[in-house]
């Protein structure tokens, strides 16, 4: 069995609307145990576990909590916040939705423990506005958790109190970026902030704020119950634990699969997702979504974890794997990615506002006229690198990833595309 479920352990097994079924499956035992522990001990356990953020950047979850809990408040009246990032805007990613729909109490339990560890008194779950079912399930779960004393005032008689509310996403990709998300919760337009300071020091309403992805928080209850040593034994040395991969595209069995970090791309595609549709050959996988990297066939044996991919100039990101068969066009895919970035650029800074449009123009010229000597591709790469160096926030730094990887691995095809894929730009 290749799957190893931690974040998805109850998915499909219990009635997600029933807190009793969650409790019968061992739910809220980790919270009970955590409330007996000093908060610093929880932070220590999380650091020891090696858990890294599953939202894309892979930052140490324990260290983030340490920074948040130790951050000094700049205002006299201090409130620490916890925010769960459930915006799930990265194309090809559909894992947080599954957790919220099928096991909302696991997310709440992880979030309450994390909040207790950093001393947060107020929390928000920022859910993608289109995720209606997730929103309903989380709202119901919050209500029943308060009724049972797992949330609210004086949780389980511990003296610790926490209030959690739901905020609906602003409908833009950028609102999933942590600073923009904070602006959005504050009721402002979804523009990013300049960093540093980071949210741990100056986050929501200028207060120390812990922001974690849904999947990240769902690992915390198991780490509390089974210990950091157990968790560290899963996955790889530098990327312990499990990861949910969202696999889509030209595979026979698309879906979400939770496996130990370090599985090969080949196992993911052929053993879990059933192989390439219609018995075609594999051409590429776009790993990490639009802000991800194209990888060629030689990457099938690469270990799917943060560092092995990074060493090969690829990214794990949110765990999206969009598979393309031999007859699919890299140019077409790049075109739709660049249209996406052009649409999602918030327009605050010139390099990205103008740059994303220039990238589109350059690519559409290549599509329309061909690029026999490769000068169009060189210009595209140069423009995306310039954008990465000069843009204000990570969105403007993202197009270089798919562009560079496509040119690096598929230059020949991009210069000389198969005839049926060449088309006029839109
Ligand atoms: C443009 C952009 C969009 C993002 N969208 C999401 C998102 O939808 N969900 C998410 O968890 N993280 C997203 N992130 C990453 C967050 O900024 C942040 O790193 C993450 O929420 C931290 O949680 P983690 O440490 O648990 O991964 C995005 C980042 C960028 C630059
Ligand atoms: S890089 Fe793009 S998304 Fe980010 S602030 Fe500038 S215009 Fe907005």
């Amino acid at each position: 069995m290749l799957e190893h479920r931690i974040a998805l352990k109850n998915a499909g097994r219990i009635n997600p609307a029933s807190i009793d079924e969650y409790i019968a499956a061992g739910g809220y035992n980790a919270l009970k145990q955590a409330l007996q522990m000093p908060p610093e001990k929880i932070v220590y356990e999380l650091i020891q576990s090696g858990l890294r953020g599953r939202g894309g950047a892979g930052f140490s979850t324990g260290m983030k909590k340490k920074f948040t809990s130790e951050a000094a408040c700049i205002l006299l009246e201090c409130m620490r916040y916890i925010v769960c990032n459930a915006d799930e805007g990265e194309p090809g990613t559909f894992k947080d939705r599954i957790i919220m729909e099928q096991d909302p109490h696991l997310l709440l339990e992880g979030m309450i423990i994390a909040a207790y560890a950093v001393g947060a008194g107020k929390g928000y779950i920022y859910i993608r506005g289109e995720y209606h079912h997730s929103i309903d399930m989380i709202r119901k779960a919050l209500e029943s958790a308060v009724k049972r004393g797992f949330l609210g005032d004086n949780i389980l008689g511990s003296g610790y109190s926490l209030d959690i509310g739901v905020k609906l996403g602003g409908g833009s990709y950028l609102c999933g970026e942590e600073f923009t998300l904070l602006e959005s919760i504050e009721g402002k337009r979804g523009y990013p902030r300049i960093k540093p300071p980071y949210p741990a020091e100056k986050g929501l309403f200028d207060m120390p704020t812990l922001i974690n992805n849904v999947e990240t928080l769902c690992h915390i209850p198991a780490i509390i119950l089974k210990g950091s040593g157990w968790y560290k034994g899963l996955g790889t040395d530098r990327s312990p634990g499990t990861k949910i991969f969202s696999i889509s595209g030209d595979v026979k069995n698309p879906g979400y699969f939770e496996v130990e970090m370090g599985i090969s791309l080949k196992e993911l595609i052929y053993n879990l997702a059933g192989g390439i549709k219609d018995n075609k050959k594999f051409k590429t996988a776009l790993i990490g979504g639009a802000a991800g990297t194209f990888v060629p066939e030689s990457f099938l044996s690469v270990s799917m974890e943060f560092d092995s991919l990074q060493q090969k100039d690829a990214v794990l990101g949110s765990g999206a794997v969009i598979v393309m068969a031999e007859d699919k066009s890299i140019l077409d895919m790049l075109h739709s990615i660049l249209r996406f970035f052009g649409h999602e650029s918030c327009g605050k800074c010139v390099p990205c506002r103008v740059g994303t449009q220039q990238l589109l123009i350059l690519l559409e010229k290549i599509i329309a006229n061909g690029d026999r000597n490769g000068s169009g591709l060189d210009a595209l790469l140069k423009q995306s690198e310039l954008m990465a160096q000069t843009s204000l926030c990570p969105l403007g730094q993202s197009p270089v990833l798919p562009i560079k990887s496509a040119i690096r691995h598929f230059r020949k095809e991009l210069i000389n595309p198969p005839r049926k894929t060449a088309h006029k730009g839109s």
Side-chain angles (χ1 to χ4, degrees), residues 72-90:
C73 276
I74 52 164
L75 299 176
L76 276 180
E77 220 173 289
C78 186
M79 164 71 88
R80 272 168 227 277
Y81 287 95
I82 180 162
V83 172
C84 170
N85 190 342
D87 201 43
E88 193 151 75
E90 192 61 59

Side-chain angles (χ1 to χ4, degrees), residues 174 190-192 344-353 356 387 390-397:
L174 188 57
Y191 278 151
E344 295 297 337
S345 166
C346 79
K348 187 174 176 175
C349 67
V350 175
C352 169
R353 184 177 68 232
T356 48
M387 267 181 69
T390 51
S391 290
L392 194 63
C393 88
L395 191 145
Q397 291 147 11

